[in-house]
Amino acid sequence: MSPEPILLDRSRPPVTPPPLDWLTLADAFESACLLRCMAPPAGSNPRRPAPVHPPMTVEFNREEAAQRMRQLLDRLGVPVRHEMAVGGLRRRYELHRISVPAVHRTAYAQVVEAGWRQGRRELLGGPVPGASTARRVWRPRLAAAAWRAALLGGGRHVRRHILGVRLTDRELAAVLVRGAALLDVPALLRPGTGCFVVSVAHGRDREQILEATALAPAPDR
């Protein structure tokens, strides 16, 4: 009896990468949220879905957002180049460009994409019966990370009675609404001109969001 032939071209199921640990997830998820705050290219549909893959170069008009992105990627082991340009005539402005060297782009894309998928699932997936202590602790931290990114990288929409952000990404807007609920703060989502506005009320709700998003010393890994 002849041996059974070996099928060398037999298709194999795709290997699912292991989930990120909580510390890595928090940094990767906040990086992904910062990227989703970026304005769409000129001439494109403003309420567009975010790109499938993270861009290798991103421009911020606020130094704080660029510095935070640089800090997050540094903790994720992704070196970047930070360049600053000054433009404008009557109104001067700064443009901060963060770019990832080609040799690190695959690792950068993988960790940011995994961070968005896993973080979004944690926040939008609803409470898990019998959730672990770590999950109960880290889900509000992920919510705070999303709000911190939006306050740094999104368009500020501040009025006397609200604190809000303008976003073009619908999924990020949904994440912020759910994230606010995890921080015990009700948030409103409404359409704006070519964008979405997510806001919380002035007073206790605003202070609670700002307190949750305040940067603390980085935890030990």
Side-chain angles (χ1 to χ4, degrees):
M1 182 175 180
S2 61
E4 182 180 353
I6 300 175
L7 301 178
L8 297 179
D9 60 347
R10 179 181 298 170
S11 62
R12 298 180 180 182
V15 177
T16 303
L20 302 175
D21 65 82
W22 289 109
L23 284 173
T24 303
L25 172 59
D27 288 344
F29 180 60
E30 187 173 341
S31 300
C33 291
L34 272 169
L35 292 174
R36 285 176 171 259
C37 289
M38 294 301 93
S44 64
N45 180 2
R47 290 188 191 175
R48 84 221 185 281
V52 176
H53 301 293
M56 299 302 126
T57 299
V58 61
E59 294 179 340
F60 298 93
N61 55 18
R62 296 185 64 198
E63 183 179 5
E64 297 93 333
Q67 292 289 5
R68 181 59 176 166
M69 188 70 176
R70 182 176 182 176
Q71 180 187 46
L72 291 167
L73 293 180
D74 179 67
R75 295 207 299 238
L76 292 169
V78 178
V80 300
R81 183 167 58 252
H82 182 183
E83 301 170 301
M84 191 263 288
V86 178
L89 296 174
R90 298 181 62 183
R91 287 190 174 185
R92 307 290 284 176
Y93 64 88
E94 292 182 355
L95 193 64
H96 296 265
R97 181 179 293 112
I98 299 290
S99 55
V100 178
V103 69
H104 297 284
R105 289 180 179 179
T106 298
Y108 155 73
Q110 288 175 344
V111 72
V112 171
E113 290 168 4
W116 172 253
R117 289 194 305 268
Q118 190 176 334
R120 178 186 179 279
R121 184 168 62 246
E122 287 290 342
L123 293 186
L124 298 184
V128 179
S132 66
T133 300
R135 178 167 272 110
R136 290 194 296 270
V137 169
W138 279 96
R139 288 181 76 225
R141 293 183 183 178
L142 292 176
W147 268 95
R148 183 163 46 247
L151 291 171
L152 283 173
R156 290 291 187 101
H157 186 79
V158 181
R159 298 292 184 269
R160 284 194 301 175
H161 60 292
I162 65 167
L163 168 66
V165 288
R166 293 187 298 270
L167 306 163
T168 58
D169 187 88
R170 183 190 298 270
E171 286 189 286
L172 180 56
V175 161
L176 292 183
V177 173
R178 178 57 185 160
L182 284 170
L183 298 172
D184 296 322
V185 176
L188 294 177
L189 170 62
R190 63 180 179 82
T193 303
C195 67
F196 303 96
V197 178
V198 182
S199 63
V200 300
H202 189 71
R204 185 198 70 86
D205 293 345
R206 175 183 180 274
E207 294 306 316
Q208 200 153 321
I209 289 291
L210 293 179
E211 181 179 346
T213 57
L215 289 174
D220 295 332
R221 291 185 176 274

mmCIF file with all atom_site columns, all heavy atoms in Angstrom, residues 65-77:
data_model
loop_
_atom_site.group_PDB
_atom_site.id
_atom_site.type_symbol
_atom_site.label_atom_id
_atom_site.label_alt_id
_atom_site.label_comp_id
_atom_site.label_asym_id
_atom_site.label_entity_id
_atom_site.label_seq_id
_atom_site.pdbx_PDB_ins_code
_atom_site.Cartn_x
_atom_site.Cartn_y
_atom_site.Cartn_z
_atom_site.occupancy
_atom_site.B_iso_or_equiv
_atom_site.pdbx_formal_charge
_atom_site.auth_seq_id
_atom_site.auth_comp_id
_atom_site.auth_asym_id
_atom_site.auth_atom_id
_atom_site.pdbx_PDB_model_num
ATOM 1   N N   . ALA A 1 65 ? 0.243  67.539 20.582 1.00 0.00 ? 65 ALA A N   1
ATOM 2   C CA  . ALA A 1 65 ? -0.193 66.295 19.945 1.00 0.00 ? 65 ALA A CA  1
ATOM 3   C C   . ALA A 1 65 ? 0.991  65.555 19.333 1.00 0.00 ? 65 ALA A C   1
ATOM 4   O O   . ALA A 1 65 ? 1.102  64.327 19.451 1.00 0.00 ? 65 ALA A O   1
ATOM 5   C CB  . ALA A 1 65 ? -1.247 66.597 18.883 1.00 0.00 ? 65 ALA A CB  1
ATOM 6   N N   . ALA A 1 66 ? 1.878  66.289 18.665 1.00 0.00 ? 66 ALA A N   1
ATOM 7   C CA  . ALA A 1 66 ? 3.043  65.656 18.052 1.00 0.00 ? 66 ALA A CA  1
ATOM 8   C C   . ALA A 1 66 ? 3.957  65.049 19.111 1.00 0.00 ? 66 ALA A C   1
ATOM 9   O O   . ALA A 1 66 ? 4.462  63.928 18.953 1.00 0.00 ? 66 ALA A O   1
ATOM 10  C CB  . ALA A 1 66 ? 3.808  66.680 17.211 1.00 0.00 ? 66 ALA A CB  1
ATOM 11  N N   . GLN A 1 67 ? 4.174  65.775 20.191 1.00 0.00 ? 67 GLN A N   1
ATOM 12  C CA  . GLN A 1 67 ? 5.040  65.263 21.252 1.00 0.00 ? 67 GLN A CA  1
ATOM 13  C C   . GLN A 1 67 ? 4.437  64.022 21.903 1.00 0.00 ? 67 GLN A C   1
ATOM 14  O O   . GLN A 1 67 ? 5.149  63.079 22.253 1.00 0.00 ? 67 GLN A O   1
ATOM 15  C CB  . GLN A 1 67 ? 5.278  66.351 22.312 1.00 0.00 ? 67 GLN A CB  1
ATOM 16  C CG  . GLN A 1 67 ? 6.102  67.526 21.835 1.00 0.00 ? 67 GLN A CG  1
ATOM 17  C CD  . GLN A 1 67 ? 7.571  67.165 21.622 1.00 0.00 ? 67 GLN A CD  1
ATOM 18  O OE1 . GLN A 1 67 ? 7.984  66.031 21.738 1.00 0.00 ? 67 GLN A OE1 1
ATOM 19  N NE2 . GLN A 1 67 ? 8.373  68.177 21.281 1.00 0.00 ? 67 GLN A NE2 1
ATOM 20  N N   . ARG A 1 68 ? 3.112  64.015 22.063 1.00 0.00 ? 68 ARG A N   1
ATOM 21  C CA  . ARG A 1 68 ? 2.471  62.838 22.659 1.00 0.00 ? 68 ARG A CA  1
ATOM 22  C C   . ARG A 1 68 ? 2.588  61.640 21.717 1.00 0.00 ? 68 ARG A C   1
ATOM 23  O O   . ARG A 1 68 ? 2.871  60.522 22.167 1.00 0.00 ? 68 ARG A O   1
ATOM 24  C CB  . ARG A 1 68 ? 0.997  63.143 22.941 1.00 0.00 ? 68 ARG A CB  1
ATOM 25  C CG  . ARG A 1 68 ? 0.232  61.991 23.577 1.00 0.00 ? 68 ARG A CG  1
ATOM 26  C CD  . ARG A 1 68 ? 0.833  61.570 24.892 1.00 0.00 ? 68 ARG A CD  1
ATOM 27  N NE  . ARG A 1 68 ? 0.042  60.526 25.542 1.00 0.00 ? 68 ARG A NE  1
ATOM 28  C CZ  . ARG A 1 68 ? 0.473  59.796 26.560 1.00 0.00 ? 68 ARG A CZ  1
ATOM 29  N NH1 . ARG A 1 68 ? 1.692  59.997 27.052 1.00 0.00 ? 68 ARG A NH1 1
ATOM 30  N NH2 . ARG A 1 68 ? -0.304 58.871 27.105 1.00 0.00 ? 68 ARG A NH2 1
ATOM 31  N N   . MET A 1 69 ? 2.388  61.850 20.424 1.00 0.00 ? 69 MET A N   1
ATOM 32  C CA  . MET A 1 69 ? 2.532  60.762 19.456 1.00 0.00 ? 69 MET A CA  1
ATOM 33  C C   . MET A 1 69 ? 3.958  60.221 19.491 1.00 0.00 ? 69 MET A C   1
ATOM 34  O O   . MET A 1 69 ? 4.173  58.997 19.472 1.00 0.00 ? 69 MET A O   1
ATOM 35  C CB  . MET A 1 69 ? 2.186  61.265 18.060 1.00 0.00 ? 69 MET A CB  1
ATOM 36  C CG  . MET A 1 69 ? 2.125  60.185 16.999 1.00 0.00 ? 69 MET A CG  1
ATOM 37  S SD  . MET A 1 69 ? 0.697  59.106 17.244 1.00 0.00 ? 69 MET A SD  1
ATOM 38  C CE  . MET A 1 69 ? 0.816  58.038 15.814 1.00 0.00 ? 69 MET A CE  1
ATOM 39  N N   . ARG A 1 70 ? 4.908  61.114 19.549 1.00 0.00 ? 70 ARG A N   1
ATOM 40  C CA  . ARG A 1 70 ? 6.309  60.689 19.596 1.00 0.00 ? 70 ARG A CA  1
ATOM 41  C C   . ARG A 1 70 ? 6.583  59.888 20.861 1.00 0.00 ? 70 ARG A C   1
ATOM 42  O O   . ARG A 1 70 ? 7.274  58.854 20.816 1.00 0.00 ? 70 ARG A O   1
ATOM 43  C CB  . ARG A 1 70 ? 7.197  61.937 19.543 1.00 0.00 ? 70 ARG A CB  1
ATOM 44  C CG  . ARG A 1 70 ? 8.679  61.648 19.538 1.00 0.00 ? 70 ARG A CG  1
ATOM 45  C CD  . ARG A 1 70 ? 9.480  62.925 19.391 1.00 0.00 ? 70 ARG A CD  1
ATOM 46  N NE  . ARG A 1 70 ? 10.901 62.670 19.327 1.00 0.00 ? 70 ARG A NE  1
ATOM 47  C CZ  . ARG A 1 70 ? 11.810 63.598 19.116 1.00 0.00 ? 70 ARG A CZ  1
ATOM 48  N NH1 . ARG A 1 70 ? 11.446 64.861 18.930 1.00 0.00 ? 70 ARG A NH1 1
ATOM 49  N NH2 . ARG A 1 70 ? 13.090 63.288 19.071 1.00 0.00 ? 70 ARG A NH2 1
ATOM 50  N N   . GLN A 1 71 ? 6.045  60.320 21.988 1.00 0.00 ? 71 GLN A N   1
ATOM 51  C CA  . GLN A 1 71 ? 6.243  59.614 23.248 1.00 0.00 ? 71 GLN A CA  1
ATOM 52  C C   . GLN A 1 71 ? 5.628  58.211 23.205 1.00 0.00 ? 71 GLN A C   1
ATOM 53  O O   . GLN A 1 71 ? 6.244  57.227 23.638 1.00 0.00 ? 71 GLN A O   1
ATOM 54  C CB  . GLN A 1 71 ? 5.622  60.419 24.392 1.00 0.00 ? 71 GLN A CB  1
ATOM 55  C CG  . GLN A 1 71 ? 5.766  59.773 25.764 1.00 0.00 ? 71 GLN A CG  1
ATOM 56  C CD  . GLN A 1 71 ? 5.001  60.529 26.824 1.00 0.00 ? 71 GLN A CD  1
ATOM 57  O OE1 . GLN A 1 71 ? 3.854  60.909 26.632 1.00 0.00 ? 71 GLN A OE1 1
ATOM 58  N NE2 . GLN A 1 71 ? 5.644  60.783 27.962 1.00 0.00 ? 71 GLN A NE2 1
ATOM 59  N N   . LEU A 1 72 ? 4.414  58.119 22.671 1.00 0.00 ? 72 LEU A N   1
ATOM 60  C CA  . LEU A 1 72 ? 3.734  56.825 22.601 1.00 0.00 ? 72 LEU A CA  1
ATOM 61  C C   . LEU A 1 72 ? 4.496  55.847 21.713 1.00 0.00 ? 72 LEU A C   1
ATOM 62  O O   . LEU A 1 72 ? 4.699  54.684 22.075 1.00 0.00 ? 72 LEU A O   1
ATOM 63  C CB  . LEU A 1 72 ? 2.311  57.013 22.075 1.00 0.00 ? 72 LEU A CB  1
ATOM 64  C CG  . LEU A 1 72 ? 1.344  57.747 23.005 1.00 0.00 ? 72 LEU A CG  1
ATOM 65  C CD1 . LEU A 1 72 ? 0.079  58.134 22.247 1.00 0.00 ? 72 LEU A CD1 1
ATOM 66  C CD2 . LEU A 1 72 ? 1.001  56.899 24.221 1.00 0.00 ? 72 LEU A CD2 1
ATOM 67  N N   . LEU A 1 73 ? 4.905  56.308 20.535 1.00 0.00 ? 73 LEU A N   1
ATOM 68  C CA  . LEU A 1 73 ? 5.613  55.422 19.614 1.00 0.00 ? 73 LEU A CA  1
ATOM 69  C C   . LEU A 1 73 ? 6.981  55.024 20.170 1.00 0.00 ? 73 LEU A C   1
ATOM 70  O O   . LEU A 1 73 ? 7.445  53.898 19.952 1.00 0.00 ? 73 LEU A O   1
ATOM 71  C CB  . LEU A 1 73 ? 5.753  56.074 18.245 1.00 0.00 ? 73 LEU A CB  1
ATOM 72  C CG  . LEU A 1 73 ? 4.439  56.266 17.481 1.00 0.00 ? 73 LEU A CG  1
ATOM 73  C CD1 . LEU A 1 73 ? 4.694  56.913 16.125 1.00 0.00 ? 73 LEU A CD1 1
ATOM 74  C CD2 . LEU A 1 73 ? 3.702  54.944 17.304 1.00 0.00 ? 73 LEU A CD2 1
ATOM 75  N N   . ASP A 1 74 ? 7.607  55.917 20.909 1.00 0.00 ? 74 ASP A N   1
ATOM 76  C CA  . ASP A 1 74 ? 8.881  55.575 21.538 1.00 0.00 ? 74 ASP A CA  1
ATOM 77  C C   . ASP A 1 74 ? 8.683  54.436 22.535 1.00 0.00 ? 74 ASP A C   1
ATOM 78  O O   . ASP A 1 74 ? 9.480  53.497 22.593 1.00 0.00 ? 74 ASP A O   1
ATOM 79  C CB  . ASP A 1 74 ? 9.465  56.811 22.235 1.00 0.00 ? 74 ASP A CB  1
ATOM 80  C CG  . ASP A 1 74 ? 10.779 56.490 22.933 1.00 0.00 ? 74 ASP A CG  1
ATOM 81  O OD1 . ASP A 1 74 ? 11.762 56.200 22.227 1.00 0.00 ? 74 ASP A OD1 1
ATOM 82  O OD2 . ASP A 1 74 ? 10.826 56.512 24.182 1.00 0.00 ? 74 ASP A OD2 1
ATOM 83  N N   . ARG A 1 75 ? 7.603  54.499 23.306 1.00 0.00 ? 75 ARG A N   1
ATOM 84  C CA  . ARG A 1 75 ? 7.336  53.425 24.273 1.00 0.00 ? 75 ARG A CA  1
ATOM 85  C C   . ARG A 1 75 ? 6.980  52.122 23.572 1.00 0.00 ? 75 ARG A C   1
ATOM 86  O O   . ARG A 1 75 ? 7.163  51.037 24.128 1.00 0.00 ? 75 ARG A O   1
ATOM 87  C CB  . ARG A 1 75 ? 6.207  53.840 25.224 1.00 0.00 ? 75 ARG A CB  1
ATOM 88  C CG  . ARG A 1 75 ? 6.576  55.027 26.097 1.00 0.00 ? 75 ARG A CG  1
ATOM 89  C CD  . ARG A 1 75 ? 5.824  55.051 27.398 1.00 0.00 ? 75 ARG A CD  1
ATOM 90  N NE  . ARG A 1 75 ? 4.395  55.139 27.275 1.00 0.00 ? 75 ARG A NE  1
ATOM 91  C CZ  . ARG A 1 75 ? 3.653  56.107 27.811 1.00 0.00 ? 75 ARG A CZ  1
ATOM 92  N NH1 . ARG A 1 75 ? 4.242  57.116 28.446 1.00 0.00 ? 75 ARG A NH1 1
ATOM 93  N NH2 . ARG A 1 75 ? 2.344  56.091 27.711 1.00 0.00 ? 75 ARG A NH2 1
ATOM 94  N N   . LEU A 1 76 ? 6.472  52.218 22.334 1.00 0.00 ? 76 LEU A N   1
ATOM 95  C CA  . LEU A 1 76 ? 6.149  51.022 21.559 1.00 0.00 ? 76 LEU A CA  1
ATOM 96  C C   . LEU A 1 76 ? 7.346  50.503 20.769 1.00 0.00 ? 76 LEU A C   1
ATOM 97  O O   . LEU A 1 76 ? 7.224  49.532 20.024 1.00 0.00 ? 76 LEU A O   1
ATOM 98  C CB  . LEU A 1 76 ? 5.004  51.331 20.590 1.00 0.00 ? 76 LEU A CB  1
ATOM 99  C CG  . LEU A 1 76 ? 3.643  51.596 21.249 1.00 0.00 ? 76 LEU A CG  1
ATOM 100 C CD1 . LEU A 1 76 ? 2.666  52.159 20.215 1.00 0.00 ? 76 LEU A CD1 1
ATOM 101 C CD2 . LEU A 1 76 ? 3.084  50.323 21.883 1.00 0.00 ? 76 LEU A CD2 1
ATOM 102 N N   . GLY A 1 77 ? 8.489  51.146 20.923 1.00 0.00 ? 77 GLY A N   1
ATOM 103 C CA  . GLY A 1 77 ? 9.693  50.710 20.232 1.00 0.00 ? 77 GLY A CA  1
ATOM 104 C C   . GLY A 1 77 ? 9.756  51.129 18.781 1.00 0.00 ? 77 GLY A C   1
ATOM 105 O O   . GLY A 1 77 ? 10.466 50.495 17.988 1.00 0.00 ? 77 GLY A O   1
#
